[in-house]
Amino acid sequence: MCGIVGLVAKTPVNQMLYDGLLVLQHRGQDAAGIVTAEGPMFHMHKGQGLVRDVFRTRNMRSLLGNVGIGHVRYPTAGSASSLAESQPFYVNSPFGLVLAHNGNLTNDKQLKDEMYRTDLRHINTNSDSEALLNVLAHELSKRTNGPRLTAEIVFDAITAVHQRVRGAYAVVALVAGFGLIAFRDPHGIRPLSLGVHDTPEGPEYIVASESVALDTLGFKLMRDVAPGEALYISFEGELSSRQCHSNAKLAPCIFEHVYFARSDSVIDGISVHEARLNMGTQLADKVKAMVPALDIDVVIPIPDTSRDSALEMANELKIPYREGFIKNRYIGRTFIMPGQASRKKSVRQKLNPIAVEFRGKNVLLVDDSIVRGTTSKEIVQMVRDCGAKKVYLASAAPPVKFPHVYGIDMPTRAELIATGRTAEQIAEEIGADAVIYQELDALITACRDASQGLITEFETSCFDGNYITGDITDEYLDALEAKRLSPLSAKFKEGDPDTRVLDMNIGVAEQNLI
């Protein structure tokens, strides 16, 4: 799960790209990168860490041009936490290409083999994003004859990319001297929004993972990029689009609404805030059936993502809502941090309870989801230490029982607390008096209602094991888990402190690393 943004403007875009990545920081904290285009020249700066730490004034001054793309990285299953894996990626042919990708390809091993044996292209990292860049570059090369690029060539190439690539992908890319490309996988699993800002010199365009980036930068949301659709925006600001897949059907990842997206975003016409309110309404009905109302004194969210659901639950249950935790906003998300040891250590650094809200009370905690259970166990114990009499835990999402292979780092079945356990067994494991899970049908209803009934299908594989791309086998999952658990993968996840930042100024014919 990463965040991407692309801009074609009439003025320098470096500050706008920086500001856009700041509001998408929740989508990835491992690394950040920006590439701008100044005529045929690319300027790149990327490094490991938060946006505010990667980019300094001297770096921003070198990012010249009115066109650019940016990326915040969240490492997916088995991938390396190192500078080499940071995005955007670059290849020099054809024309010069840079690409940033949100999602996860499920046939990247096959693609890399094809690159080596047939396309004669070199992949220098384990990243599926670099493989995707080279597939795009190869398909563009096959269709170009001389120093000329048209929208039709771009769309024909992306049609071929869709035929070769499987999995989830929302993409922004730049072609040196020509324009910005954006496209989305045929199921629309990962989000991508298109916005416009009218100026006296003509329209400016933005594409971004969430509409909140458009709001922050003063752009108007035009629409979401459709599944299978491609956009081509020339450096002069001319927008073209085409549906590049013959069987595209929207089935967005429902976990965006459960956890990842910001509440102030609108994705595929769904207000994330409204979807989460609906989740609270649905879950309240389940709580009423399982726990006597008189046995709950207070509803308290586990910040931040569950607040909307918890507030609506409290209203439905007619039970007081209170804030019971203070969050340290200078600690990274525990879900994103690699390794159980660092995850467990960070919980008490990240959340501190307000003891008076728990002392002597029967408490209903509300979380967006329960994945590994490590954080939940620590929080329940903290609440008991504050003197709570009973601790119930309600999850706005159903039990997470299956690996998510489309860009969210929850790959091994052994890590998922709900795999092979009942709700009663999970409650015992984390020390709660009861755990109440949302039903999957209720979650789908909550999101479908927020779309005014326009979206009827969602990607829900982590809850039901139904992988919408149709290519996920037990052998694939076994290989993914082995990769994650390998010593080499663990070593890479620690990162290399000696290679933290990369600057590039890329000419038409050469790449200079500073």
Side-chain angles (χ1 to χ4, degrees):
M1 186 68 62
C2 303
I4 58 176
V5 60
L7 277 160
V8 177
K10 304 300 180 182
T11 58
V13 294
N14 51 358
Q15 187 64 53
M16 287 193 288
L17 288 168
Y18 177 91
D19 293 342
L21 292 182
L22 276 181
V23 299
L24 296 175
Q25 185 76 86
H26 61 285
R27 299 186 67 86
Q29 301 175 347
D30 180 71
I34 289 175
V35 175
T36 57
E38 184 187 20
M41 181 76 73
F42 287 147
H43 305 286
M44 177 185 289
H45 180 78
K46 59 182 180 178
Q48 288 183 265
L50 302 177
V51 173
R52 69 187 182 205
D53 298 324
V54 170
F55 297 98
R56 302 296 185 184
T57 301
R58 63 183 180 275
N59 312 129
M60 297 296 292
R61 286 173 178 164
S62 70
L63 296 171
L64 305 174
N66 297 350
V67 180
I69 62 175
H71 184 269
V72 286
R73 180 172 187 266
Y74 161 88
T76 51
S79 61
S81 178
S82 70
L83 179 64
E85 303 281 323
S86 303
Q87 298 186 41
F89 283 107
Y90 165 80
V91 291
N92 66 359
S93 175
F95 310 112
L97 286 170
V98 287
L99 176 144
H101 162 222
N102 169 213
N104 193 54
L105 305 187
T106 56
N107 67 333
D108 62 313
K109 184 178 179 181
Q110 173 189 338
L111 291 172
K112 290 171 184 176
D113 186 62
E114 291 174 358
M115 288 288 107
Y116 175 73
R117 297 181 182 277
T118 306
D119 299 345
L120 304 181
R121 285 183 169 270
H122 176 244
I123 308 297
N124 198 51
T125 71
N126 291 320
S127 173
D128 60 343
S129 302
E130 190 187 8
L132 180 56
L133 169 60
N134 277 273
V135 172
L136 174 61
H138 182 73
E139 296 303 331
L140 283 172
S141 293
K142 289 168 60 175
R143 290 161 177 81
T144 53
N145 183 18
R148 181 172 174 269
L149 183 69
T150 66
E152 293 305 308
I153 292 173
V154 169
F155 297 146
D156 287 347
I158 293 172
T159 299
V161 169
H162 286 321
Q163 293 170 355
R164 295 183 63 179
V165 171
R166 298 289 179 269
Y169 48 96
V171 175
V172 289
L174 296 179
V175 186
F178 290 100
L180 181 147
I181 298 170
F183 58 97
R184 196 174 176 194
D185 70 74
H187 295 97
I189 297 172
R190 300 268 70 86
L192 194 62
S193 300
L194 170 65
V196 66
H197 175 240
D198 292 318
T199 75
E201 294 78 25
E204 300 177 320
Y205 293 101
I206 183 174
V207 286
S209 293
E210 293 185 34
S211 65
V212 65
L214 283 58
D215 300 337
T216 301
L217 299 177
F219 284 75
K220 179 182 178 181
L221 175 64
M222 293 176 63
R223 59 184 178 84
D224 294 275
V225 178
E229 183 186 18
L231 309 178
Y232 177 67
I233 309 170
S234 70
F235 285 178
E236 293 72 36
E238 182 179 350
L239 170 65
S240 304
S241 65
R242 187 209 282 179
Q243 175 53 254
C244 294
H245 195 278
S246 60
N247 195 31
K249 183 180 180 181
L250 182 60
C253 177
I254 206 165
F255 215 75
E256 290 278 354
H257 299 286
V258 169
Y259 176 77
F260 266 104
R262 277 180 43 157
S263 286
D264 48 346
S265 285
V266 177
I267 297 176
D268 293 312
I270 298 177
S271 163
V272 178
H273 170 69
E274 185 177 351
R276 289 174 181 167
L277 291 177
N278 291 348
M279 291 176 207
T281 301
Q282 296 285 342
L283 188 54
D285 292 338
K286 182 86 175 281
V287 171
K288 288 176 185 176
M290 291 187 62
V291 182
L294 295 178
D295 205 33
I296 301 174
D297 298 315
V298 64
V299 176
I300 295 178
I302 298 173
D304 286 315
T305 325
S306 64
R307 281 197 172 102
D308 298 335
S309 297
L311 180 60
E312 197 64 12
M313 280 186 64
N315 290 335
E316 290 289 324
L317 295 171
K318 296 180 173 54
I319 295 172
Y321 169 94
R322 293 287 187 271
E323 290 287 340
F325 298 95
I326 299 299
K327 186 174 182 179
N328 183 344
R329 302 187 184 279
Y330 304 97
I331 298 292
R333 275 183 157 185
T334 58
F335 184 85
I336 291 174
M337 300 169 85
Q340 287 281 43
S342 57
R343 184 175 294 111
K344 184 174 180 178
K345 177 183 177 182
S346 72
V347 174
R348 288 181 181 263
Q349 296 172 334
K350 181 180 177 181
L351 290 177
N352 195 49
I354 303 173
V356 68
E357 295 292 354
F358 300 100
R359 189 175 301 123
K361 298 178 181 178
N362 295 339
V363 179
L364 176 62
L365 299 177
V366 182
D367 209 348
D368 50 72
S369 58
I370 305 170
V371 181
R372 296 170 177 89
T374 310
T375 299
S376 300
K377 185 174 184 177
E378 288 287 302
I379 290 172
V380 168
Q381 187 58 52
M382 280 195 289
V383 172
R384 291 203 183 278
D385 291 344
C386 289
K389 292 193 298 183
K390 290 184 179 179
V391 182
Y392 302 107
L393 178 59
S395 168
V400 177
K401 295 183 177 181
F402 301 92
H404 193 293
V405 302
Y406 300 124
I408 298 175
D409 190 21
M410 52 169 97
T412 68
R413 285 157 283 193
E415 288 182 287
L416 304 176
I417 193 170
T419 301
R421 292 186 178 93
T422 64
E424 292 74 19
Q425 290 170 327
I426 293 168
E428 183 177 357
E429 178 70 22
I430 66 176
D433 290 278
V435 171
I436 303 99
Y437 279 106
Q438 185 86 271
E439 297 294 330
L440 180 56
D441 287 346
L443 175 61
I444 293 172
T445 297
C447 295
R448 184 181 62 232
D449 289 353
S451 78
Q452 311 304 316
L454 295 178
I455 301 178
T456 58
E457 185 175 1
F458 293 88
E459 195 289 307
T460 58
S461 58
C462 60
F463 305 122
D464 60 10
N466 178 26
Y467 295 98
I468 200 163
T469 53
D471 60 340
I472 305 303
T473 63
D474 287 339
E475 290 76 18
Y476 178 91
L477 296 177
D478 291 341
L480 191 65
E481 292 177 359
K483 182 180 179 183
R484 176 180 174 84
L485 297 174
S486 70
L488 182 60
S489 175
K491 176 183 177 183
F492 275 126
K493 280 183 175 290
E494 295 299 322
D496 182 351
D498 297 324
T499 56
R500 306 297 289 186
V501 177
L502 178 64
D503 272 303
M504 288 186 187
N505 281 288
I506 307 170
V508 176
E510 67 177 3
Q511 174 179 343
N512 298 313
L513 303 185
I514 302 175

